[in-house]
Amino acid sequence: MAAVRTSSEIGFNRVAIVAVLLVTIIFLAPIYWIASTAFKPRNLATTIPPTVVFQPEISPFVKLFAKRSQMRNPASPEEYAAAPWWERVVFDGGEKIVRDGKGEVQWSGYPSRFMNSLIVAITSTVLAVGMGTFTAYGFSRFKVKGEADLLFFILSTRMLPPVVVAIPMFLMYRAVGLNDSHLGLVILYTAFNLSFSVWLMKGFMDEIPKEYEEAALVDGYTRMEAFFKIVLPEAATGIAATAVFCFITAWNEYAFALIMTSRRAQTAPPFIPSQVGSGLPDWTVIAAGTFLFLLPVAIFTFLLRNHLLRGMSFGAIRK
Amino acid sequence: MTQIELRGVQKFFGAVQVIKDLNLKINDNEFIVLLGQSGCGKTTTLRAIAGLETIDGGDILIDGKPVQHLKAADRDIAMVFQSFSLYPHMSVYENVAFPLRATRKSKAEIDQEVRSVAKTLQITGLLAKKPSALSGGDMQRVAIGRALVRRPKAMLMDEPIGALDAKLREEMRAEIKRLHIKQGSTTIYVTHDQIEAMSLADRIVIMHEGVLQQVGSPDEVYSHPANLFVAQFVGSPVMNVADASVAETASSASVTVGGAAAGFEFPRALLSRLNGHAGGQLALGIRPEGVLVRHEAAEGFLPVETQIVEPLGSFDIVDLKVGSKMLRARTKSGFVGGPGERVFARIDPTQAHFFDTASGKSLGVRL
């Protein structure tokens, strides 16, 4: 019997491994596509069938960051020789980098959009997680009148797709001058994420035994001190998980960013596809922009990975 | 010098009154145990003294000053929780130092005091560890250390060893007692375990359904239970309680249990001590060691049949059928061979208790 069970277990494990591999490949395929396109020469980006083996190029990234224009005539040999290596790769593509009167390289729109994305996503994540943590603590530890109704109300803000209210929101924002501003997007994303953050954090807060704070209260600390010294470190796992989710939501948000911002506060998601339309689409540049755009989320998640794997810090309370 | 006094303390949870008019005075250096079943209000009382629960009426006084409006942090009281509540993200050292960090002590002072407490509790070797790496007993030592380190006015302990296994519980019990003798601080200890209460307490406070039943030394509570609840709650094996009727005989008094054919013989003095209750609804309480058993018939001994024999090592507990009632007697181990044996029993009048069945109160009869 045992032998039969063991061999079926082995069989199951093999099937599971194959299934996991397949799913992983399916999930990673688009990322591979983006990454490989970001390093392809422009003429190989759209070949059918796709080019898999190629000499990787850095030119898409140079083009991504520098403002450039089409050249009527190829660069002269002197011009070519005087240019730094990163300018030559642009010449090779039949374009040149735009410089101002002093010869300074002009940045493309991408770096500022990328910065906008960082500013908006980080600020709104900090706000949503911060306020969510305090709110969740309140709901978790104190008797709040109408707690169930309030929590339901908080959740109900997520019951319709946000984009449904995009037009009214746009009109309101225009009226108060919040359109195309960092503050406007930060408020918007914080509001979206807050309900999620409150609910997720409440779950984590409920799991932290009350006795920890009570011990701190008896030991001579105020509730606020107990919150910061005991509850927050205990909730670190939950805060990290919530922050990752909020950050990803804010970072990837497209619809509102497209409608609410045009230039000054525009984030990367609406900017990257807008480049498709300017002249002949250069897919390698779009892929390079997308590739860089993927990195912060990957890095952020990687840094918090230990906190995302739960369960290590629990077990010091005896029930 | 710390005295704690509760004056008419009331506490409600919604419509349920969990503490009913509690009055209690705890002396300096006294080890008080609040004893009762779960839900009797003992933990709520402790938490009210700590400042973790508000009270709905009455006063809590520490050294004569009302503290019921003070925050827990301002009462200068330490508490040990059943769950230990060691902060998992801090080392043992940091856990013990934590209460000191709330004060304005210097780093060197804190270090010195942490190490001195660690030495007392023999946890010096554990200081660098995280709580999750400790055994249950060590966790509790650390928790006690954290409570002691600040030299609080009073120590509150909420079932501090309830989560440990039996052997460790016994060790820790002795350790807590040793520590109390050595450190001498006013201590209030909550437990549902009457053995723990008996072995630790200077005075035991027995609570039932939010009402204080009796306060007294372990001996008083054991030998002079104030009512049926205390009588049956304190002591193991449990005291026999049976409805009894008292009759006058030619030379003595007779106490009949469970409608048996004959009654147990008692001194005549019982009748006068019962003070007119003799004809009323009475309950006889007798601890198993107060039921005397022998193999041969003798003056005052009634023939009874053994039912169940529970060997408990150093002694046996034998169930004796008396009329329709079962009386449990404590005998030498192996004294009774087995069920169905005929033996002779009597009740030691000096160990008998009489209770008013209606009120449950002891009639205070001592013979």
Side-chain angles (χ1 to χ4, degrees):
Chain A
M1 262 321 271
V4 174
R5 205 184 302 146
T6 313
S7 75
S8 80
E9 264 171 28
I10 291 172
F12 177 78
N13 276 348
R14 280 186 187 150
V15 172
I17 288 168
V18 171
V20 167
L21 276 176
L22 270 176
V23 170
T24 311
I25 288 168
I26 291 168
F27 280 176
L28 287 181
I31 296 178
Y32 163 76
W33 194 273
I34 295 283
S36 70
T37 307
F39 291 96
K40 268 179 194 173
R42 187 174 180 179
N43 58 344
L44 296 181
T46 51
T47 55
I48 297 171
T51 314
V52 179
V53 183
F54 57 90
Q55 178 85 36
E57 275 197 15
I58 201 73
S59 63
F61 291 92
V62 178
K63 291 194 236 169
L64 177 68
F65 281 98
K67 202 170 178 180
R68 62 216 144 80
S69 63
Q70 294 285 329
M71 289 194 295
R72 285 213 197 98
N73 308 308
S76 63
E78 301 84 53
E79 238 182 322
Y80 198 88
W85 65 267
W86 43 265
E87 196 160 8
R88 283 182 210 154
V89 296
V90 179
F91 286 145
D92 292 342
E95 289 172 305
K96 67 175 181 188
I97 290 171
V98 177
R99 291 169 184 275
D100 64 6
K102 292 175 199 155
E104 294 288 325
V105 174
Q106 297 289 287
W107 290 101
S108 73
Y110 187 78
S112 68
R113 265 58 172 200
F114 195 87
M115 275 309 293
N116 287 343
S117 268
L118 280 177
I119 292 167
V120 170
I122 290 174
T123 316
S124 71
T125 300
V126 168
L127 285 175
V129 175
M131 293 196 282
T133 305
F134 276 107
T135 314
Y137 179 76
F139 274 121
S140 174
R141 292 301 197 260
F142 299 101
K143 280 196 191 109
V144 182
K145 242 186 187 169
E147 176 178 331
D149 295 333
L150 282 172
L151 281 170
F152 180 80
F153 168 72
I154 291 171
L155 187 68
S156 72
T157 59
R158 288 186 76 92
M159 283 186 182
L160 87 172
V163 77
V164 171
V165 294
I167 302 301
M169 284 301 293
F170 174 69
L171 296 174
M172 283 161 64
Y173 263 45
R174 205 176 52 180
V176 296
L178 277 174
N179 57 332
D180 202 16
S181 72
H182 292 113
L183 180 65
L185 274 192
V186 166
I187 292 174
L188 210 53
Y189 293 170
T190 306
F192 288 157
N193 278 332
L194 193 54
S195 61
F196 174 75
S197 160
V198 168
W199 270 81
L200 206 60
M201 282 313 298
K202 179 162 186 304
F204 287 110
M205 287 292 177
D206 285 344
E207 274 186 40
I208 301 172
K210 266 186 179 172
E211 284 94 335
Y212 286 149
E213 293 142 79
E214 292 183 341
L217 290 179
V218 175
D219 282 345
Y221 290 88
T222 64
R223 186 168 277 280
M224 204 57 150
E225 287 169 330
F227 176 80
F228 281 107
K229 284 178 201 282
I230 303 298
V231 178
L232 275 194
E234 287 309 306
T237 297
I239 292 171
T242 311
V244 166
F245 285 119
C246 288
F247 183 80
I248 290 174
T249 307
W251 184 253
N252 287 343
E253 204 287 327
Y254 175 77
F256 277 94
L258 181 69
I259 296 163
M260 298 294 188
T261 62
S262 46
R263 228 190 50 225
R264 211 157 48 82
Q266 193 181 40
T267 53
F271 175 78
I272 294 170
S274 77
Q275 299 305 293
V276 177
S278 57
L280 209 57
D282 188 340
W283 290 104
T284 62
V285 178
I286 289 163
T290 310
F291 177 71
L292 288 183
F293 184 72
L294 293 176
L295 288 181
V297 173
I299 293 168
F300 189 49
T301 313
F302 183 77
L303 288 178
L304 295 178
R305 70 195 181 286
N306 283 340
H307 284 296
L308 296 174
L309 298 169
R310 311 205 52 214
M312 303 308 283
S313 67
F314 287 82
I317 276 259
R318 282 245 174 167
K319 280 282 168 195
Chain B
M1 290 293 283
T2 305
Q3 286 181 338
I4 299 175
E5 192 177 346
L6 307 179
R7 277 192 203 151
V9 172
Q10 314 264 0
K11 171 74 186 174
F12 292 85
F13 282 143
V16 184
Q17 187 165 12
V18 288
I19 304 176
K20 293 174 190 161
D21 191 30
L22 183 63
N23 291 286
L24 182 64
K25 202 167 176 179
I26 298 159
N27 301 320
D28 184 42
N29 272 357
E30 199 173 19
F31 199 116
I32 284 275
V33 174
L34 299 184
L35 177 66
Q37 295 153 326
S38 54
C40 74
K42 58 189 192 298
T43 296
T44 311
T45 306
L46 193 77
R47 290 169 58 85
I49 297 171
L52 296 172
E53 299 280 357
T54 55
I55 55 172
D56 299 315
D59 292 304
I60 297 171
L61 298 100
I62 296 179
D63 289 335
K65 290 190 199 90
V67 295
Q68 63 268 26
H69 302 300
L70 287 185
K71 276 183 283 183
D74 301 327
R75 296 190 188 189
D76 193 17
I77 274 178
M79 186 154 167
V80 178
F81 295 81
Q82 176 175 18
S83 53
F84 310 154
S85 292
L86 300 179
Y87 313 123
H89 60 284
M90 296 182 189
S91 67
V92 167
Y93 183 96
E94 278 307 312
N95 264 284
V96 177
F98 191 69
L100 294 176
R101 300 219 190 276
T103 64
R104 284 195 189 143
K105 290 211 160 85
S106 72
K107 263 193 173 167
E109 275 177 288
I110 290 174
D111 187 66
Q112 193 193 335
E113 283 175 36
V114 169
R115 290 190 189 283
S116 121
V117 162
K119 209 174 143 197
T120 312
L121 289 162
Q122 297 168 355
I123 52 171
T124 307
L126 307 174
L127 286 176
K129 289 191 177 172
K130 282 275 168 75
S132 52
L134 302 184
S135 67
D138 285 339
M139 277 196 204
Q140 195 50 279
R141 279 190 194 96
V142 175
I144 293 171
R146 189 175 67 187
L148 278 178
V149 75
R150 201 159 40 92
R151 294 202 200 94
K153 282 185 177 164
M155 282 269 276
L156 309 182
M157 299 185 160
D158 183 10
E159 308 227 6
I161 57 179
L164 306 178
D165 58 59
K167 184 173 170 288
L168 202 53
R169 217 159 42 219
E170 217 159 284
E171 279 172 34
M172 287 303 294
R173 206 166 69 200
E175 210 163 307
I176 288 173
K177 183 146 198 171
R178 220 176 8 252
L179 207 64
H180 179 252
I181 293 167
K182 198 171 155 193
Q183 304 269 330
S185 70
T186 308
T187 305
I188 308 176
Y189 186 108
V190 160
T191 184
H192 63 268
D193 182 343
Q194 46 100 13
I195 295 176
E196 237 171 84
M198 298 287 281
S199 65
L200 286 170
D202 293 328
R203 282 195 300 158
I204 299 179
V205 176
I206 296 158
M207 293 181 71
H208 183 52
E209 291 176 347
V211 179
L212 190 148
Q213 305 288 318
Q214 188 173 2
V215 185
S217 69
D219 182 52
E220 274 166 9
V221 172
Y222 187 81
S223 314
H224 306 281
N227 56 36
L228 276 172
F229 176 79
V230 176
Q232 295 203 281
F233 193 69
V234 174
S236 173
V238 177
M239 180 190 278
N240 295 294
V241 171
D243 288 340
S245 57
V246 179
E248 193 174 351
T249 60
S251 60
S252 59
S254 158
V255 176
T256 312
V257 169
F264 292 105
E265 195 184 309
F266 271 70
R268 239 188 123 71
L270 175 65
L271 295 165
S272 57
R273 300 277 171 86
L274 282 173
N275 211 0
H277 282 90
Q281 294 277 315
L282 281 184
L284 166 75
I286 183 77
R287 296 202 184 276
E289 61 262 34
V291 181
L292 312 175
V293 185
R294 51 188 295 166
H295 287 297
E296 313 82 31
E299 177 75 35
F301 280 77
L302 299 179
V304 290
E305 194 182 310
T306 64
Q307 299 275 318
I308 300 168
V309 181
E310 293 171 61
L312 294 175
S314 54
F315 59 89
D316 289 354
I317 293 295
V318 182
D319 283 18
L320 305 171
K321 197 165 162 65
V322 180
S324 61
K325 269 308 275 195
M326 214 61 85
L327 285 187
R328 290 153 65 87
R330 180 176 162 150
T331 66
K332 279 191 291 184
S333 48
F335 184 77
V336 171
E341 207 171 297
R342 192 179 163 81
V343 292
F344 297 88
R346 70 168 294 190
I347 285 170
D348 178 3
T350 62
Q351 296 190 51
H353 305 267
F354 289 90
F355 302 94
D356 177 12
T357 316
S359 68
K361 285 208 173 104
S362 170
L363 297 172
V365 175
R366 299 304 298 167
L367 291 165

